[in-house]
Amino acid sequence: MRFENTGLEKMKADLNRLDEVMSEHGLIRAEQWDYERVNYDRKFELKEGVFYLRVQGYAIEGDVGAHRAVIQLMIPLLGKHYYPHGVEYGEGENFPASLVKKCEQILADVKADIEKFATV
């Protein structure tokens, strides 16, 4: 599921500041990066299954590995994990309404914090 029009997809921000803000909202980069891309994930374990809220981005300046990069954020995603295949984000997936609402609130809070230092 794609969270269209959150405004995050228009933002460019410093990697280190992003790491801090995302972590404050439970979105962890951990090992989900390479030198040009980042993924921030938050895991939700519900009776309906395991879900991941993911905010992706890519470096428009600098190097993620050197912790000196400006990141262009992308449209956030919500996916369901299927063992052993991985996470599916398709429109055919069924996401609990309460989870979707919680994710929308998290993304709104993240946006409010990032707006303080990001550029568009």
Side-chain angles (χ1 to χ4, degrees), residues 50-113:
V50 177
F51 300 88
Y52 287 91
L53 174 61
R54 174 168 278 184
V55 179
Q56 299 174 299
Y58 57 92
I60 57 172
E61 278 180 36
D63 180 326
V64 173
H67 298 280
R68 287 189 216 105
V70 174
I71 303 297
Q72 170 68 60
L73 294 174
M74 299 169 65
I75 295 172
L77 304 168
L78 179 61
K80 184 172 183 181
H81 184 263
Y82 291 95
Y83 180 82
H85 304 292
V87 180
E88 293 291 330
Y89 302 99
E91 293 302 317
E93 296 299 324
N94 193 9
F95 299 102
S98 60
L99 175 61
V100 172
K101 185 174 181 174
K102 182 174 181 82
C103 289
E104 288 171 340
Q105 184 60 57
I106 290 167
L107 294 171
D109 293 344
V110 165
K111 181 183 178 218
D113 287 348

Side-chain angles (χ1 to χ4, degrees), residues 15 18-19 29-40 54-66 69-74:
L15 171 68
L18 274 177
D19 283 350
R29 181 162 57 104
E31 300 300 318
Q32 302 298 319
W33 64 275
D34 64 21
Y35 294 99
E36 298 173 351
R37 295 174 293 186
V38 294
N39 291 322
Y40 295 96
R54 174 168 278 184
V55 179
Q56 299 174 299
Y58 57 92
I60 57 172
E61 278 180 36
D63 180 326
V64 173
V70 174
I71 303 297
Q72 170 68 60
L73 294 174
M74 299 169 65

